[in-house]
Amino acid sequence: AAIGSKGTVYLRIPTNGTGQVQVTFQGAERTLDAVSNGDVEIATGTYITVVDQMGSVLVVEPMTGKKARDESE
């Protein structure tokens, strides 16, 4: 449900570990566990896009100039 949502990193996501992100979906802001797509560290405060979900853990990518994937997915 959260795939494609945008948010920010709340607790730093380490290279190969879990952090937390705040994302807004279904009209509510939620703080959820997240891991980095591609094992890169993502600092607190970084804007992210949710690209996948494994159980209750979101897989996120830092938002850059390029789009990770199409909005319509």
Side-chain angles (χ1 to χ4, degrees):
I3 294 173
S5 297
K6 293 172 175 50
T8 55
V9 176
Y10 179 67
L11 278 179
R12 179 184 69 87
I13 301 172
T15 308
N16 49 8
T18 305
Q20 287 190 325
V21 294
Q22 289 183 317
V23 292
T24 302
F25 67 101
Q26 295 169 349
E29 187 173 74
R30 298 157 195 253
T31 302
L32 299 164
D33 290 338
V35 295
S36 162
N37 187 28
D39 295 329
V40 293
E41 180 178 306
I42 310 177
T44 299
T46 304
Y47 287 101
I48 52 87
T49 303
V50 178
V51 295
D52 203 357
Q53 189 167 357
M54 299 182 299
S56 61
V57 178
L58 303 181
V59 181
V60 302
E61 285 181 358
M63 278 170 66
T64 56
K66 64 176 177 37
K67 282 207 171 143
R69 50 177 70 187
D70 200 69
E71 288 287 349
S72 63
E73 273 189 46

